Amino acid sequence: MTTTDPTTMTGLELMRWVQTERPTDLPSIGRLLGMRFDEVEHGRIVISLDTRPDFANPLGTVHGGIAATLLDSVMGSAIHTTLPAGTGYTTLELKVNYIRTAHTDEQTLTAEGTVIHAGRRTATAEGRVRDDQGKLIAHATTTCLIL
């Protein structure tokens, strides 16, 4: 079991810890979907995952909830990098625009989240998901409540 106390780290330190340590003993949506933290910097995160047949909707393409979850994760994590130790956040609003389908055949989806505004009570961010050809799959914005 991990002995690291996330409440003692800034958001940026925590995201960098997740990127380098890749903890497998912590239950998370990232672990469930196979998310990789590729880039972590203040106000910006890049996360990728490989699609698989379990991600399929009834039409046989990647379910929109996978892209929405990836976007929620990357934008929230970008906001988290701006927060001091012991401060949390929660998503207040998520607006996703779907552009094209993604396939379930181990295609790499890469999402980038960038903070637009980081205030004392709320923060906003934008995100984009691209396939391994660089084509835009979905884009989104979010508003988070700082706790």
Side-chain angles (χ1 to χ4, degrees):
M1 187 73 148
T2 301
T3 58
T4 302
D5 181 1
T7 64
T8 64
M9 294 186 226
T10 67
L12 182 59
E13 290 168 342
L14 180 60
M15 293 296 99
R16 286 185 173 154
W17 178 79
V18 168
Q19 179 188 30
T20 58
E21 297 300 318
R22 299 179 61 112
T24 58
D25 58 336
L26 298 174
S28 71
I29 192 69
R31 183 179 79 174
L32 180 66
L33 297 181
M35 291 181 188
R36 298 178 298 273
F37 282 70
D38 301 325
E39 298 178 38
V40 175
E41 56 190 70
H42 187 268
R44 182 178 166 274
I45 297 278
V46 176
I47 297 175
S48 62
L49 59 74
D50 297 324
T51 64
R52 57 184 190 250
D54 288 339
F55 292 176
N57 61 26
L59 300 173
T61 58
V62 172
H63 189 281
I66 299 297
T69 300
L70 188 52
L71 285 161
D72 188 40
S73 297
V74 78
M75 293 183 298
S77 293
I79 287 170
H80 198 170
T81 66
T82 69
L83 301 178
T87 304
Y89 68 94
T90 189
T91 301
L92 284 175
E93 181 266 341
L94 175 68
K95 168 66 171 95
V96 179
N97 292 283
Y98 298 97
I99 306 303
R100 65 177 40 87
T101 60
H103 302 286
T104 61
D105 57 353
E106 297 184 23
Q107 181 178 51
T108 299
L109 299 181
T110 303
E112 179 178 359
T114 307
V115 172
I116 298 169
H117 167 76
R120 289 185 304 117
R121 301 299 300 153
T122 62
T124 59
E126 61 186 0
R128 289 174 177 74
V129 176
R130 297 187 184 277
D131 66 14
D132 47 16
Q133 310 271 303
K135 292 183 179 174
L136 186 65
I137 299 297
H139 60 95
T141 56
T142 192
T143 302
C144 291
L145 176 67
I146 308 303
L147 306 172

